[in-house]
Amino acid sequence: MDNVLETAGTAGYELLVYATLLFLIAPLAIVVLISFQSKAYAAWPPGDFTLQWYTTMPEYTAYLGIEAALFDSLALAIATAVCSTIIGGLAAFAIVRYDFPYSTTLETVLISPLIYPWLVIGLAILLFIGELNSALGLSVQMSFTTVLLGHILFTLPYPIRTIGASLQNFPHTVEEASKNLGATELDTFVNVTLPIIRPGIISGAIFAFVLSFNQYIISLFLTGSDTKTMPLLLFEMFYNNAPAKLAAIATLLMGGILALVMITEKVASISEFA
């Protein structure tokens, strides 16, 4: 009887895992399928397959502003990854390496954006900027800087977690051996500590980059007229462009993100910190 229950439990767990994967992958697969169909609008069965939405892409990317939006998204994602990783790394070192009052409270506050909806985060920052303008008589306009601050805020927990995990599993005897051999604190940090925790740093940076690049809600609240990211542009294009055209653009973006994650997994074993 116990064996039957164990087998049933294992089968049920595997079924749940595969059902979850199907639920996550199916919408993406449909987008890819639509991008290769000959009809401009989604239809079932899809009919003939074609590459026309890819081959004609250079003709409409310019007037739709895709190149500018892609540049803004990449610049924002790179800046977010760099700033979030630096701040998160410093916070992780403080939390893991140093014993001070309220360190647990500090960690809880810093990773709290994980539990709040993005809508709440974007609205809270927008209201804070408005109150700041009123209280101090400032004139803070929505711009690249404001959306960057918003993206740093909601991506900060990821470098803290990945770099913190690297530091918690860190072999401290290696640092002690380096210092005993005459290396300075800086030499030890650069030549010993950084190479060991590098997978955690790279993983945190990639998490921040991908989340920032794909972020729509916070960008909607905090982006000014001088900045337009790919998610914002795609949402605008949704109402007056063929779904197959949007699906082709989305497929290329998904392919780029997937390639980046696979390369990172190969180099830094990102799954160890997920």
Side-chain angles (χ1 to χ4, degrees):
M1 184 64 180
D2 292 338
N3 292 335
V4 174
L5 292 176
E6 183 179 355
T7 303
T10 302
Y13 175 76
E14 292 180 352
L15 180 62
L16 177 62
V17 171
Y18 288 123
T20 302
L21 290 175
L22 179 63
F23 177 78
L24 295 174
I25 295 175
L28 303 180
I30 292 174
V31 171
V32 176
L33 183 64
I34 293 174
S35 72
F36 288 103
Q37 69 176 17
S38 58
K39 299 177 181 178
Y41 293 86
W44 190 262
D48 298 332
F49 290 94
T50 179
L51 294 176
Q52 65 172 325
W53 307 113
Y54 293 93
T55 56
T56 59
M57 190 175 296
E59 299 176 6
Y60 56 80
T61 53
Y63 75 83
L64 290 176
I66 292 178
E67 294 179 359
L70 182 60
F71 176 82
D72 286 345
S73 289
L74 288 174
L76 180 62
I78 292 172
T80 300
V82 172
C83 296
S84 185
T85 303
I86 292 174
I87 298 173
L90 294 175
F93 266 93
I95 293 169
V96 176
R97 287 290 183 91
Y98 300 99
D99 185 16
F100 58 93
Y102 308 112
S103 61
T104 303
T105 303
L106 175 62
E107 182 179 11
T108 302
V109 171
L110 290 176
I111 67 174
S112 61
L114 287 174
I115 64 175
Y116 296 123
W118 292 338
L119 179 63
V120 173
I121 296 175
L123 182 59
I125 298 175
L126 182 62
L127 293 176
F128 174 76
I129 293 175
E131 291 297 325
L132 194 65
N133 288 341
S134 300
L136 301 180
L138 301 177
S139 180
V140 179
Q141 303 296 326
M142 297 298 105
S143 62
F144 182 89
T145 302
T146 56
V147 72
L148 173 61
L149 292 176
H151 282 211
I152 292 173
L153 178 63
F154 91 92
T155 59
L156 189 59
Y158 296 92
I160 291 176
R161 300 297 290 176
T162 58
I163 297 174
S166 296
L167 291 171
Q168 288 174 348
N169 300 321
F170 192 89
H172 296 284
T173 54
V174 178
E175 284 184 331
E176 295 174 0
S178 174
K179 294 176 183 177
N180 290 336
L181 291 173
T184 63
E185 289 279 352
L186 181 60
D187 289 335
T188 300
F189 178 77
V190 173
N191 298 314
V192 177
T193 307
L194 277 182
I196 293 178
I197 67 172
R198 182 172 55 189
I201 296 174
I202 296 177
S203 299
I206 293 300
F207 273 122
F209 178 90
V210 173
L211 289 170
S212 174
F213 188 87
N214 294 322
Q215 179 55 238
Y216 170 76
I217 297 176
I218 294 178
S219 300
L220 179 64
F221 279 100
L222 302 177
T223 300
S225 57
D226 62 334
T227 305
K228 179 171 290 185
T229 63
M230 281 299 299
L232 294 176
L233 179 63
L234 289 175
F235 190 80
E236 290 180 1
M237 292 171 55
F238 180 78
Y239 294 100
N240 51 18
N241 286 273
K245 184 185 297 184
L246 298 180
I249 299 172
T251 299
L252 292 180
L253 292 177
M254 285 191 294
I257 295 295
L258 180 61
L260 178 63
V261 172
M262 292 179 65
I263 293 173
T264 306
E265 170 62 27
K266 183 69 174 179
V267 174
S269 299
I270 190 174
S271 59
E272 296 180 6
F273 305 93

